[in-house]
Amino acid sequence: MAEQAGTRAPRIILRPAEGVVSGEVERELSFFERAWDNGAVRKVVIILALAALWEAYGRYTANPLLFPTLSDTLEALMENIRSGVLPARAWASLKVLLTGYAAGIVMAGLLTIAAINTRLGSDFLETMTAMLSPLPAIALLPLALLWFGLGNGSLVFILVHSVLWPVALNTHSGFRAVSNTLRMVGRNYGLRGFAFIRKILIPAAFPSILAGLKIGWAFAWRTLVAAELVFGVSSGQGGLGWFIFENRNLLEIPSVFAGLLTVILIGLVVENLIFRTIERKTVLRWGLQQ
Amino acid sequence: MAEAPLLDVNGVTLRYKTPGSVVTATERVSFSVNRSDRFVLLGPSGCGKSTLLKAVGGYLKPSEGAITILGRKVTEPGPDRMMVFQEFDQLLPWKTVLENVMFPLMDARKLSRKEAEDKARHYIEKVHLTRALHSYPHTLSGGMKQRVAIARGMAMEPDILLMDEPFAALDALTRRTCQDELLQLWEETRFTVMFVTHSIGEAIKIGNRILLLSPHPGRVKAEVVDVDAASPTDGSAGRLEKEIHDMLFADEAGEAH
Ligand SMILES: Nc1ncnc2c1ncn2[C@@H]1O[C@H](COP(=O)(O)OP(=O)(O)OP(=O)(O)O)[C@@H](O)[C@H]1O
Ligand SMILES: [Mg+2]
């Protein structure tokens, strides 16, 4: 520090870059980093572990009437698929499910649009959700059977009930949470009425809407299987619930497990393939959800 | 030079109704903006700058007076008056930078996809964001987001661009870059802009005319014209800054802005 008095002045000392400049601002992740980052890969690992546990326990108890092994179950599953029984039952369930799910979503959409446009609609939605959403859909089944008879009408009715409230509630709260800035931007573009809802509100509230759709799906699926267990055959062809019930009565326990497995598999496929894909292509890519 | 003003704000009083009370944000404010003006609204916090800008944007109805643009009375928001907000969340998060700029061009201006894309690319290049063309807003920095919003507003080639403290939430360095960029753009296209700020320095740098507002309720206190003549090199900008400061804070000495 050999500084003479009077010569001190601010200076800028340039620092040449040390070593090789990597120039790296953005870098592709390696294959393994990407694989482990992928939630699906991690989940498959978990499922494989559970499957191994099942097989081991089944062999240990060696009581196929109470707890068949995974291999027995898979064998029953294959057999039932080959004979065409299981696919037919699954399709029967899915058909009813999709009808009820779609009807529920359409009604939720109408109710939410009424709710965001009018104060009365909003009060109506809030009151109805508060009253009806704690009511398990299955509890409405006896009444539905009385009104719509022993058929798909009753099933669709209770499915609508199980889908409508969660979807409407989530969509509505999603719409209300859209920031004032985005609303002003939309109106700046001259968007009004339905165009405003479609082009601004729905995408902006998409995380909530998607959450509502997922909850609605889970509720509907459970409600349907439970309802089918209760009253079984409708219009000559039962669904998965009936398949499970029937095979239990025949003491075909591996088939019961195969039916349960099918219920789980369909649930997993919808959750992990369909909803995850939608999520990845929308809210995750937009940074609206981590 | 007897051209009719582009924007005319005539005796405008703006009020907010809150539960239990009515707040008067501005009272009988009049001014007019000519074509190619860089018109700055300057005043301390709460003097109704944002409120005035929102009224010009068509979001608020004056309870007295009228706002006309090119002879048309302003009654609702529209793409002839593009807004640039202070908030970073003004871009549509589900669209990339390019799509964000293209969307109003196609939706409100009814351009074809091709025309919209060409125009959008042109303006994105002007704000030096070609690199981020296909990025989603959440991956951009605050300054980049504001520049996209400016590109979006300018690409629409509105009658007037309305900017509400667009750089207030930026760090000092980025703010200066953005200010310089905006001036550069103005040199090229001579658009009309109305710019809200509470920084005297920014007002002098950006504006050619400055409207000084006083608070509670907001009223016009003075207008500074030919701001262009002030230059930062010979000290005249500094003197003007001091003069404006003394005037704004004359009756409320000590109150921070
Ligand atoms: N939504 C509102 N409801 C009620 N009063 C409001 C509302 N928005 C603003 N005000 C009031 O109107 C007045 C002017 O507000 P405004 O936001 O226009 O001020 P500003 O000049 O933009 O201030 P700043 O520099 O802090 O942004 C303030 O007194 C404020 O309290
Ligand atoms: Mg403001």
Side-chain angles (χ1 to χ4, degrees):
Chain A
M1 284 277 167
E3 276 180 355
Q4 292 158 314
T7 59
R8 281 180 48 130
R11 285 160 302 162
I12 297 176
I13 300 165
L14 284 182
R15 295 274 294 271
E18 282 165 41
V20 185
V21 180
S22 78
E24 171 177 295
V25 178
E26 208 176 284
R27 168 176 74 96
E28 298 260 303
L29 293 174
S30 82
F31 175 75
F32 288 106
E33 281 174 302
R34 254 183 300 164
W36 194 246
D37 260 354
N38 189 339
V41 172
R42 295 195 303 266
K43 280 180 187 161
V44 165
V45 171
I46 293 174
I47 288 173
L48 288 179
L50 287 176
L53 216 64
W54 177 354
E55 180 69 26
Y57 184 70
R59 279 168 197 264
Y60 168 73
T61 54
N63 186 349
L65 266 187
L66 282 184
F67 198 89
T69 60
L70 175 61
S71 40
D72 286 348
T73 306
L74 288 180
E75 208 174 292
L77 185 69
M78 281 305 148
E79 210 167 284
N80 278 301
I81 288 177
R82 235 178 286 120
S83 69
V85 175
L86 203 51
R89 296 294 163 83
W91 178 236
S93 285
L94 279 176
K95 243 182 351 201
V96 181
L97 186 68
L98 289 176
T99 314
Y101 191 57
I105 289 172
V106 169
M107 286 170 69
L110 294 177
L111 211 58
T112 321
I113 288 174
I116 51 169
N117 284 319
T118 64
R119 207 164 51 180
L120 199 66
S122 160
D123 293 342
F124 178 75
L125 179 64
E126 271 165 31
T127 317
M128 290 300 276
T129 339
M131 275 179 6
L132 294 182
S133 73
L135 191 63
I138 200 77
L140 285 176
L141 191 57
L143 207 56
L145 289 175
L146 204 62
W147 288 345
F148 301 98
L150 210 77
N152 284 346
S154 300
L155 286 178
V156 169
F157 173 78
I158 59 166
L159 286 180
V160 165
H161 170 81
S162 65
V163 172
L164 175 56
W165 310 115
V167 173
L169 195 65
N170 272 278
T171 308
H172 187 229
S173 65
F175 280 176
R176 279 197 309 194
V178 173
S179 82
N180 205 26
T181 318
L182 277 184
R183 289 170 192 273
M184 286 172 79
V185 168
R187 291 176 60 202
N188 198 178
Y189 295 166
L191 295 174
R192 259 174 295 150
F194 192 64
F196 181 77
I197 294 177
R198 195 161 60 84
K199 293 174 179 173
I200 303 291
L201 289 188
I202 290 181
F206 205 66
S208 309
I209 297 177
L210 197 60
L213 291 177
K214 277 161 82 169
I215 298 173
W217 173 267
F219 280 11
W221 192 217
R222 283 190 230 170
T223 304
L224 179 68
V225 174
E228 284 175 346
L229 276 171
V230 173
F231 84 98
V233 197
S234 69
S235 51
Q237 197 187 35
L240 279 173
W242 177 245
F243 177 86
I244 293 169
F245 189 68
E246 203 178 36
N247 279 292
R248 198 215 73 129
N249 286 346
L250 299 172
L251 287 182
E252 287 282 347
I253 305 305
S255 289
V256 171
F257 271 69
L260 289 173
L261 202 59
T262 312
V263 172
I264 293 174
L265 282 178
I266 293 177
L268 279 181
V269 164
V270 170
E271 169 73 19
N272 285 292
L273 287 183
I274 301 181
F275 281 121
R276 275 313 275 184
T277 308
I278 296 176
E279 234 165 44
R280 213 178 49 243
K281 296 212 157 148
T282 57
V283 292
L284 291 178
R285 174 182 293 179
W286 307 337
L288 291 179
Q289 198 171 295
Q290 269 73 46
Chain B
M1 277 283 292
E3 200 187 345
L6 179 95
L7 170 74
D8 187 55
V9 173
N10 193 356
V12 165
T13 300
L14 295 160
R15 296 202 174 93
Y16 286 105
K17 280 192 193 64
T18 53
S21 72
V22 175
V23 180
T24 303
T26 71
E27 196 171 58
R28 272 175 274 193
V29 171
S30 299
F31 60 87
S32 59
V33 179
N34 298 319
R35 201 175 286 282
S36 293
D37 264 348
R38 286 166 284 130
F39 192 89
V40 176
L41 291 180
L42 175 65
S45 184
C47 70
K49 307 180 293 293
S50 299
T51 308
L52 263 175
L53 204 73
K54 280 182 192 147
V56 174
Y59 297 99
L60 292 171
K61 282 210 174 20
S63 33
E64 250 186 285
I67 302 172
T68 48
I69 180 155
L70 293 167
R72 306 184 302 267
K73 193 155 186 266
V74 168
T75 53
E76 59 180 0
D80 56 331
R81 287 149 286 139
M82 286 298 286
M83 301 272 291
V84 177
F85 299 91
Q86 176 177 350
E87 290 82 8
F88 289 162
D89 69 342
Q90 62 183 303
L91 301 177
L92 309 183
W94 56 94
K95 291 187 183 291
T96 61
V97 167
L98 180 63
E99 289 164 350
N100 255 292
V101 181
M102 282 170 67
F103 176 62
L105 288 170
M106 289 164 62
D107 201 85
R109 280 267 178 279
K110 309 287 178 219
L111 296 189
S112 71
R113 173 166 286 277
K114 177 86 182 55
E115 290 169 308
E117 183 168 341
D118 289 346
K119 194 169 275 230
R121 279 177 184 273
H122 174 76
Y123 279 97
I124 292 169
E125 195 186 316
K126 280 197 189 293
V127 294
H128 309 294
L129 279 180
T130 307
R131 206 164 45 87
L133 215 50
H134 299 293
S135 306
Y136 283 90
H138 72 108
T139 63
L140 305 180
S141 71
M144 289 161 93
K145 287 181 194 163
Q146 293 311 80
R147 277 143 67 197
V148 176
I150 291 171
R152 169 175 74 180
M154 295 200 43
M156 291 289 283
E157 290 163 4
D159 293 328
I160 187 167
L161 196 59
L162 307 173
M163 307 177 99
D164 191 356
E165 309 204 36
F167 309 139
L170 301 178
D171 63 278
L173 267 169
T174 316
R175 187 181 313 142
R176 268 176 62 178
T177 320
C178 284
Q179 290 166 346
D180 292 338
E181 231 169 61
L182 185 71
L183 287 174
Q184 180 61 40
L185 281 167
W186 184 86
E187 287 296 338
E188 289 167 25
T189 53
R190 305 270 164 156
F191 54 91
T192 314
V193 58
M194 201 167 139
F195 192 102
V196 165
T197 179
H198 62 249
S199 149
I200 304 176
E202 184 170 67
I204 294 174
K205 180 166 182 184
I206 297 285
N208 71 328
R209 292 167 66 199
I210 303 176
L211 193 75
L212 298 183
L213 297 168
S214 62
H216 311 305
R219 290 160 165 279
V220 177
K221 188 161 203 173
E223 187 183 333
V224 190
V225 295
D226 286 331
V227 182
D228 286 324
S231 137
T233 43
D234 66 2
S236 55
R239 278 197 300 280
L240 182 60
E241 185 165 343
K242 179 152 187 346
E243 252 177 274
I244 293 177
H245 183 273
D246 290 346
M247 176 172 252
L248 278 181
F249 297 101
D251 12 61
E252 41 190 321
E255 190 183 315
H257 67 113

